[in-house]
Amino acid sequence: MVAESAMEASSLRIREVRKSFPAPDDPATRRLALDGISLSLAAGELVSLVGPSGCGKSTLLRLIAGLDSPDSGELMVGAESIVGPNAERGLVFQDPNLFPWLTVRRNIEAGLAARHVLHENRHEVDEFMRLVGLESFADAYPHHLSGGMAQRVALARALINHPKVLLLDEPLGALDAFTRMRMQDEVLRLWQARRTTMLLVTHDIDEAIYMSDRIVIMTQRPGRIERTIPVALRRPRDRSSADFLQLRGEILELLHFAGNAVAI
Ligand SMILES: Nc1ncnc2c1ncn2[C@@H]1O[C@H](COP(=O)(O)OP(=O)(O)OP(=O)(O)O)[C@@H](O)[C@H]1O
Ligand SMILES: [Mg+2]
C-alpha cells in the first residue's frame, strides 16, 4: 500500500542563496530578487513560506525545483546539490495545469510515461487515485472536475513520482473557502501518509498555522528571511482554539510591524 510505504523524505538545505534578474525598466542592470536566503527543512517537515507579493517565494521554489540556478549560494536535497530538475522534487502550482485532452488516469500517469517508467509503476496509479479520492473519476476529463478535484489530480501527479521534497506554490489559492479547508485536510492526510518534506507557499496565515510545523516569513523584495515561527500546536489543529487565535494575532501583528500587512 502506498500509505504504508517507507519514509522517503529528504532534508532540504538552502545556504546563502542570492538571485537577481534583469531589471524590467533597464535590462542592462540586474535587480536582486533573493538576498541571501538560508533555510533548512528536516526530512518530513512541513514548512510554510509567507511574504509579500514579489518577495521571491516562487523564485525560491523554482531554484529548489532546479528550473533556474542561483547567482550564488547552495541548494541541497539530502547530501546532493541541486543542479537541475528531478522527479524527486515535485512542484504543484496554483493552477493545476492538467492536460485537457487526457483523462484523470492519463494525467496522473503522464510523468511516469515521460520518464519511460509507466510499465513497472502502473499498479500504483490506482493506489494514488484512491489516495486522493478520485478512483471513480479515472476516465473523466479535466473539464468534468471541480477546482478541488483538479487540484487533487495535480497532487497525485506530483506524488506518484515519490518526491523526496514536495514544493507547493499557493496550491489552494484559487479555491473557495470551504473547498480550501477540505483540501488543507487532504494535503495533511497525504503528508501524514507519505511523510514527504513539504514547502508550502501561502498568503493565508490561517492555512500556514493550520498546516505547518514552522512558518517562515520573508521581507519585501529583495527577499530575505525576516523570521521563523515554530507552530507547537497539537494536530489535528482547531482553528478556533485560544492557542490558534493567539498565534494568529501574534503573526498578524508581526507582519503589520514588518510593514507587510497590506501587501500580503
Ligand atoms: N524570469 C524572471 N525575469 C525577470 N524578473 C523576474 C523573473 N522571475 C521573477 N522575477 C522578479 O523577481 C521578483 C520575485 O518574483 P516572484 O514571482 O518570485 O515573487 P513571489 O513572492 O512569488 O510573488 P507572488 O506572491 O505575487 O507570487 C519579482 O520582482 C519579479 O518581477
Ligand atoms: Mg509567486
Side-chain angles (χ1 to χ4, degrees):
M1 278 294 290
V2 172
E4 291 162 9
S5 63
M7 173 131 162
E8 38 188 61
S10 262
S11 62
L12 175 65
R13 197 156 56 83
I14 301 160
R15 205 168 51 81
E16 282 299 314
V17 160
R18 288 164 67 90
K19 176 71 184 171
S20 62
F21 292 108
D25 45 351
D26 178 11
T29 64
R30 294 184 71 87
R31 208 169 62 172
L32 209 50
L34 292 174
D35 186 12
I37 299 284
S38 296
L39 173 66
S40 291
L41 273 67
E45 198 177 16
L46 199 170
V47 171
S48 286
L49 202 54
V50 175
S53 184
C55 76
K57 304 176 295 294
S58 297
T59 301
L60 183 59
L61 260 54
R62 285 176 55 79
L63 293 176
I64 300 167
L67 297 171
D68 206 345
S69 43
D71 299 355
S72 61
E74 191 179 38
L75 297 112
M76 314 259 302
V77 166
E80 286 171 29
S81 282
I82 294 171
V83 289
N86 189 309
E88 74 177 20
R89 278 165 273 125
L91 184 53
V92 178
F93 302 94
Q94 183 169 351
D95 180 339
N97 283 314
L98 304 182
F99 299 119
W101 60 89
L102 295 181
T103 61
V104 164
R105 174 188 295 281
R106 296 261 180 256
N107 264 287
I108 293 174
E109 289 174 351
L112 299 178
R115 289 190 293 124
H116 308 291
V117 294
L118 177 57
H119 184 65
E120 55 270 41
N121 293 294
R122 197 184 289 278
H123 63 283
E124 283 196 338
V125 176
D126 287 309
E127 289 181 25
F128 274 91
M129 278 192 300
R130 260 200 307 279
L131 194 67
V132 295
L134 283 172
E135 62 272 47
S136 57
F137 285 84
D139 299 319
Y141 285 86
H143 66 273
H144 292 133
L145 306 177
S146 68
M149 289 160 89
Q151 203 52 275
R152 279 189 271 155
V153 178
L155 284 166
R157 189 177 52 181
L159 287 167
I160 202 161
N161 292 317
H162 295 265
K164 293 178 174 171
V165 174
L166 188 59
L167 306 165
L168 302 162
D169 197 350
E170 297 184 60
L172 312 182
L175 304 177
D176 68 83
F178 287 113
T179 310
R180 186 173 188 146
M181 283 193 272
R182 271 209 309 278
M183 284 294 293
Q184 289 168 358
D185 288 328
E186 198 78 26
V187 173
L188 283 175
R189 194 170 61 76
L190 294 168
W191 173 66
Q192 268 151 0
R194 309 211 44 92
R195 283 288 158 185
T196 306
T197 310
M198 287 195 189
L199 186 54
L200 167 73
V201 170
T202 180
H203 283 107
D204 183 338
I205 303 299
D206 285 15
E207 182 168 286
I209 300 172
Y210 187 68
M211 305 215 26
S212 30
D213 296 321
R214 275 188 296 148
I215 302 173
V216 172
I217 297 179
M218 289 176 68
T219 62
Q220 311 249 20
R221 184 180 59 81
R224 286 182 301 275
I225 291 181
E226 161 103 28
R227 186 174 302 208
T228 298
I229 299 170
V231 185
L233 309 178
R234 284 232 318 270
R235 298 175 187 275
R237 293 180 179 157
D238 175 358
R239 300 172 204 266
S240 54
S241 72
D243 290 352
F244 193 107
L245 295 174
Q246 186 185 342
L247 186 56
R248 182 174 191 271
E250 285 168 15
I251 293 174
L252 287 174
E253 194 171 344
L254 182 78
L255 291 171
H256 178 71
F257 284 125
N260 294 341
V262 179
I264 275 195

